[in-house]
Amino acid sequence: MTAEFTPLDRSSAAAQAMRQIQEMIVDGRLAAGQRLPAERELSEMLQISRPTLRETIRSLVSLNILESRHGSGTYVAALDTKTLLEPLQFVMSLSVRTVDELFEARLLIEPALAALAAARADAAQVAVMRAVLDNPDRVATDVALHRLVADAAGNAVLAALLQTLSTLGQASRALTATRPGMLRRTAAEHRAIVDAIDRRDPDAARAAMTEHLERVAAEARRTMA
C-alpha cells in the first residue's frame, strides 16, 4: 500500500506534518505497522526540510503514534490515533472535576501559545485567522482559531498537546455553546486575541487568551452546576 502525502506550506510545517500523518492513520491511508518512506523521500513528498521532518517524527514517537526501530525505519504504532485517545476520553468524561482539569491544562498551554504566535506569526497566518473569524459557525470557528494560533506559535510539541486537549474538549464546547450570549462574547474575545497577535504584542495575546479561557471555564462550571 502506497500512501500519498501532500506537500506542505513551509510555515509551521512540523505541526502540519504531524496533523497530516495523524489524519492518514485515522482514515486508514497509513495502517498500523506500516513503514513510513525513508527520510529523504518523505521530506521530498512533504516538501519540508529533513531537520523539520526529524522534529515531526520525534514528536509523534513521543506520543506513541509512531515507532522508531533502530536500523529498520519508522513505523505506524500498533494502535491508531483514535484507539490511543480512547483511554483519555474515558478519563475526561464530563464532570465538574474533569472540566476543571481540562481548563487547568488549557490555561497552562494556550496563553503561552498565543504569546509565541504574537512573536512569530507572519502576515499570511494572521490573515487566515481573521478569515476564520467570519465563519458563522461559532463552534467551528473556536476549534479552528485555537488550532491556527497553535500552528502560528511554531512549536510542534505544544501544538500536538493542544490537539489532544481539543479532542477531549469537544463535549465541553458543545455544552457551553448553549449558554445565553456565549457565542457573542466568544466572538469578541477571539477578535481580541487575533488583534493582539496582529499587533505583535505577546503580553496582550497571553492576557486575551487567559481571559477567554477563564470565562469559558466559568461558563462550563455554571452549566454543569
Side-chain angles (χ1 to χ4, degrees), residues 114 189-190 192-194 196 202-213:
E189 290 163 358
H190 284 166
I193 293 166
V194 175
D203 289 340
R206 184 190 298 274
M209 182 65 81
T210 299
E211 180 181 352
H212 168 56
L213 291 174

Side-chain angles (χ1 to χ4, degrees), residues 42-58:
L42 185 53
S43 66
E44 290 175 354
M45 287 176 175
L46 296 171
Q47 294 185 10
I48 58 176
S49 68
R50 293 172 77 172
T52 297
L53 177 61
R54 291 186 199 114
E55 176 189 350
T56 301
I57 297 299
R58 280 196 298 269

Side-chain angles (χ1 to χ4, degrees), residues 87-208:
L88 288 174
Q89 289 169 328
F90 174 78
V91 170
M92 294 298 296
S93 58
L94 283 180
S95 70
V96 172
R97 177 180 174 181
T98 52
V99 165
D100 281 345
E101 290 175 352
L102 172 63
F103 279 100
E104 184 175 62
R106 292 185 67 184
L107 279 161
L108 286 171
I109 294 171
E110 294 198 62
L113 284 169
L116 287 172
R120 298 173 179 174
D122 58 32
Q125 289 171 315
V126 174
V128 173
M129 291 180 200
R130 291 206 179 279
V132 164
L133 294 178
D134 294 330
N135 184 349
D137 184 339
R138 305 315 305 176
V139 175
T141 295
D142 187 55
V143 174
L145 181 63
H146 285 269
R147 176 178 58 78
L148 289 168
V149 170
D151 287 349
N155 186 306
V157 174
L158 289 175
L161 288 173
L162 179 62
Q163 184 174 348
T164 299
L165 292 176
S166 179
T167 300
L168 298 173
Q170 285 177 358
S172 72
R173 274 189 167 97
L175 195 65
T176 55
T178 64
R179 296 285 296 179
M182 179 70 176
L183 298 183
R184 177 181 51 78
R185 290 192 297 272
T186 296
E189 290 163 358
H190 284 166
R191 199 163 298 280
I193 293 166
V194 175
D195 286 345
I197 292 171
D198 197 8
R199 295 195 308 270
R200 306 297 187 263
D201 188 336
D203 289 340
R206 184 190 298 274

